[in-house]
Amino acid sequence: MKQTNQIYVLRCLALTIIAGLISSTFSMAQNARIKIDIDRQIGEINNNIYGNFVEHLGRCVYGGIYDPESPYADENGIRLDVLDAVKDLNIPLLRYPGGNFVSNYHWKDGVGPKDERPPRMELAWARLETNQFGTNEFVDYARRIGTEPYFAVNLGTGTIEEAQQWVEYCNVKEGPYSAELRKKHGYAEPHNIKYWSLGNEMDGFWQMGHLNAEDYSKKAREAAKLMRLTDPSIKLIATGASNFRPNNDPHEWNATILSELKDVVDYIALHMYVGNHQDNYYNFVSSPLVLEERTKVVKGMIMREMEKADRGNRDPIYIAWDEYNIWYRWRQEETMTGERALEERYNLEDALVIGGFLNAFIRNADIVKMANMAQLVNVIAPIFTEKDGMFLQTIYYPLQLFANNMFGTSLDVFVDCDTYDTDEFYLGLAEQATQQKNVPYLDVSAAYNDGEIVITVINRHKDKAIATDLFSQEGLFNGEFEVFEVNGPDIKSENDFGKTTVKTVKKASLTLNEASSFTYEFPAHSLTMIKGKITQ
Ligand code: AHR
């Protein structure tokens, strides 16, 4: 009897140990996995996706990049502290002068002797436009920061002739009236502006001179004809749908203009602003996936039209996300107009959303060939000034990291990690509700450039670090790998004057010796960029 008891106890013990082993094996969290394969390529990353935007709105121009009264300004009125911060963003392309502003802007008001330039009522954002800063000041600024200017013409209240004359003023060396006028204004050489947008958000009822898709297509086609007859080398951007209100069909606009302008334009411009309206972090950080969905829908439409297009040996139409950002706090009546319009302050979760947008551009590098953060200074911007100083907002840091590192060929990355479903949420209050299922906690993109790999990983998880095995499928990780991290103590952490809570930190580098894989733990609510060599 005693022996039977002992056997029984031993059996129980053995079963308990086995059960424990089985359960610990199953409950032990598996690492997430990221597989990089340099042979699985999406397309060439066009550096123009790191573009930016300057509009005559609030304190973006006056009190932002240009402020003759400021002690920081040089003899041309350019704020040098801002200029330095702008230079570090390594901006390849700068859109100007609007935005909604452009639809009632007449470029001739902003050239010639400053004391002869007429002040105008600025109707889009309710300011007095002094016109002290115009075409030539902007081109000078762009050249100083080594960026390509990108102009939008007025197809709202403006005429196709006015658009033609602007191209003539900027791009024709000599002879016709407008070219000679530029020379008289002190610019002997043409500015050679390559990128021209045919209006701004012309589908929006808020746009001055708003048109329906058919009328816009006609006006844009004729403007394009005159502009190209003036300079055949220019690249033209059509305004795609920006009106995502529930009573409107944005696809109809895009389908019409792509069909009508398929032989004419080089890009279709899309805009997207998102906000954390319901204060729901997980919904909000998934919003770049909606941009990615919209990209794919428009790509399909472009592909359909390209089959029928007659474009000679020109490239197909590409997508230009020429306005994107987070904009919801300063979006009520009193914050929308006047000198201090749209002065949104950003936090860490906003920086992660910007990282998400940039990752989405990289993952769609075959079709997204231009993008412009809206806007550069003070107005929903990465740089914020007051008379006596400036600071870098949280959203500055992801853009700076990408624009200085993420070049070459975009890779199709395999990611295996935990996911979550969002609730129904609103990107913008006037938009239709959306929902995202199976959102991976890790949002990843990778670029390969001449033996160098750059991997950007956003850990969307609010509380947990995610241990991840990173594999190279072709070639080995080899040598010192630099690691940069954008993070802060809390998702609501903000920067301010004299307080940089959220920023890029260079972490200890990783030394990898011909490794086919390595493990890295991505901290909660962070963006990490890992950069090093792959050798064959
Ligand atoms: O960037 C702010 C505004 O947003 C732009 O002027 C307009 O194009 C968009 O609606």
Side-chain angles (χ1 to χ4, degrees):
M1 183 69 183
K2 202 175 166 200
Q3 209 182 12
T4 328
N5 266 348
Q6 272 174 352
I7 291 168
Y8 177 74
V9 169
L10 278 172
R11 264 201 196 139
C12 284
L13 203 65
L15 281 174
T16 316
I17 291 168
I18 291 166
L21 276 174
I22 292 171
S23 93
S24 73
T25 309
F26 280 99
S27 67
M28 205 165 66
Q30 296 282 312
N31 281 355
R33 291 179 305 150
I34 294 175
K35 291 185 183 175
I36 306 292
D37 186 340
I38 57 172
D39 286 337
R40 290 183 66 94
Q41 305 186 344
I42 295 170
E44 279 308 292
I45 298 166
N46 191 310
N47 295 353
N48 283 345
I49 62 169
Y50 307 127
N52 221 295
F53 175 33
V54 166
E55 178 168 4
H56 285 244
L57 194 180
R59 296 188 304 127
C60 186
V61 173
Y62 306 106
I65 61 174
Y66 174 79
D67 189 358
E69 308 291 298
S70 167
Y72 297 102
D74 68 7
E75 65 286 2
N76 299 312
I78 299 300
R79 258 188 85 150
L80 297 177
D81 54 344
V82 175
L83 186 84
D84 283 345
V86 168
K87 279 184 180 162
D88 287 345
L89 279 178
N90 201 21
I91 299 169
L93 185 74
L94 196 54
R95 183 168 177 249
Y96 175 83
N100 296 343
F101 167 81
V102 81
S103 292
N104 194 34
Y105 176 63
H106 301 283
W107 66 268
K108 288 176 200 165
D109 290 345
V111 294
K114 289 197 171 182
D115 56 356
E116 290 172 20
R117 298 186 191 175
R120 301 274 187 207
M121 276 182 85
E122 201 293 284
L123 301 177
W125 307 105
R127 292 167 28 253
L128 179 74
E129 175 51 60
T130 63
N131 282 307
Q132 293 302 292
F133 192 94
T135 301
N136 296 317
E137 289 79 18
F138 179 77
V139 172
D140 286 345
Y141 192 80
R143 301 296 178 221
R144 264 176 97 165
I145 60 169
T147 196
E148 186 86 33
Y150 161 25
F151 282 175
V153 302
N154 175 358
L155 285 197
T157 63
T159 64
I160 59 173
E161 185 186 37
E162 186 182 0
Q164 180 278 327
Q165 288 170 353
W166 204 6
V167 179
E168 182 182 306
Y169 182 89
C170 291
N171 289 10
V172 175
K173 187 167 165 55
E174 59 199 353
Y177 176 80
S178 301
E180 291 299 322
L181 189 63
R182 184 201 66 244
K183 284 169 63 186
K184 204 168 124 198
H185 293 158
Y187 294 83
E189 292 304 314
H191 295 321
N192 292 325
I193 308 297
K194 184 171 169 191
Y195 297 98
W196 295 83
S197 165
L198 300 165
N200 174 71
E201 295 189 351
M202 295 302 293
D203 66 320
F205 60 85
W206 56 87
Q207 203 65 214
M208 292 175 281
H210 157 60
L211 298 169
N212 67 28
E214 288 75 20
D215 290 345
Y216 169 72
S217 300
K218 282 184 206 150
K219 191 167 182 182
R221 189 188 299 113
E222 293 311 302
K225 186 193 291 172
L226 269 65
M227 291 164 78
R228 278 233 174 83
L229 285 168
T230 309
D231 179 355
S233 73
I234 57 177
K235 300 272 181 207
L236 295 173
I237 295 96
T239 69
S242 59
N243 185 353
F244 279 79
R245 283 162 174 76
N247 61 356
N248 188 56
D249 181 0
H251 305 306
E252 210 173 284
W253 173 278
N254 286 338
T256 306
I257 67 150
L258 281 170
S259 161
E260 293 295 320
L261 300 173
K262 60 179 173 296
D263 300 338
V264 178
V265 298
D266 302 292
Y267 299 79
I268 177 170
L270 303 176
H271 291 178
M272 185 159 180
Y273 293 100
V274 300
N276 191 357
H277 297 276
Q278 292 125 317
D279 195 12
N280 181 320
Y281 167 82
Y282 282 112
N283 291 352
F284 183 46
V285 291
S286 77
S287 47
L289 298 178
V290 181
L291 175 140
E292 206 156 354
E293 281 168 11
R294 289 186 187 172
T295 300
K296 290 186 195 312
V297 170
V298 176
K299 179 181 172 181
M301 290 176 157
I302 293 173
M303 286 171 74
R304 205 181 68 170
E305 289 304 329
M306 288 305 95
E307 283 176 8
K308 299 175 259 173
D310 178 11
R311 300 179 61 82
N313 55 7
R314 284 159 60 208
D315 281 354
I317 292 177
Y318 293 126
I319 293 175
W321 278 102
D322 70 2
E323 286 186 33
Y324 72 92
N325 209 338
I326 295 123
W327 176 24
Y328 68 108
R329 302 166 177 101
W330 283 59
R331 217 171 172 163
Q332 292 81 42
E333 288 289 301
E334 67 282 5
T335 58
M336 288 278 281
T337 53
E339 292 308 317
R340 303 204 67 123
L342 280 62
E343 297 204 352
E344 192 107 1
R345 294 290 195 95
Y346 293 110
N347 60 24
L348 175 59
E349 65 186 19
D350 297 320
L352 299 181
V353 170
I354 292 299
F357 282 141
L358 294 163
N359 267 351
F361 298 149
I362 299 284
R363 285 194 294 261
N364 293 276
D366 56 332
I367 191 77
V368 178
K369 298 288 183 187
M370 180 195 293
N372 302 73
M373 178 184 270
Q375 304 185 4
L376 186 58
V377 189
N378 291 329
V379 173
I380 43 173
I383 300 166
F384 197 90
T385 71
E386 287 294 354
K387 288 243 164 295
D388 48 3
M390 52 150 281
F391 73 91
L392 304 179
Q393 298 234 49
T394 62
I395 60 169
Y396 182 95
Y397 293 97
L399 183 62
Q400 184 194 29
L401 265 183
F402 273 80
N404 284 285
N405 294 291
M406 208 79 183
F407 306 122
T409 306
S410 164
L411 299 181
D412 186 8
V413 181
F414 169 86
V415 182
D416 173 32
C417 65
D418 287 345
T419 62
Y420 67 93
D421 294 342
T422 71
D423 309 325
E424 284 225 317
F425 69 103
Y426 297 91
L427 296 169
L429 275 185
E431 289 203 15
Q432 290 166 23
T434 181
Q435 191 183 13
Q436 296 293 311
K437 299 228 178 211
N438 302 317
V439 178
Y441 282 104
L442 297 183
D443 186 68
V444 187
S445 75
Y448 180 65
N449 194 15
D450 201 16
E452 189 168 75
I453 184 88
V454 186
I455 309 165
T456 303
V457 181
I458 297 167
N459 179 4
R460 294 185 174 111
H461 207 294
K462 194 153 62 139
D463 314 300
K464 278 197 202 150
I466 300 184
T468 307
D469 298 327
L470 294 97
F471 300 88
S472 171
Q473 303 291 97
E474 187 61 47
L476 300 166
F477 299 116
N478 202 8
E480 290 285 295
F481 275 66
E482 290 181 297
V483 182
F484 305 95
E485 184 183 307
V486 180
N487 207 344
D490 184 77
I491 53 167
K492 300 293 183 189
S493 301
E494 289 184 12
N495 295 346
D496 207 335
F497 293 95
K499 184 185 91 171
T500 312
T501 314
V502 176
K503 61 180 174 215
T504 303
V505 173
K506 193 165 194 290
K507 314 293 280 187
S509 31
L510 304 168
T511 308
L512 301 171
N513 291 319
E514 303 203 331
S516 59
S517 71
F518 64 97
T519 301
Y520 193 85
E521 193 170 83
F522 296 102
H525 53 66
S526 65
L527 180 151
T528 305
M529 186 175 273
I530 300 177
K531 180 177 172 182
K533 293 249 178 295
I534 284 197
T535 51
Q536 298 288 333

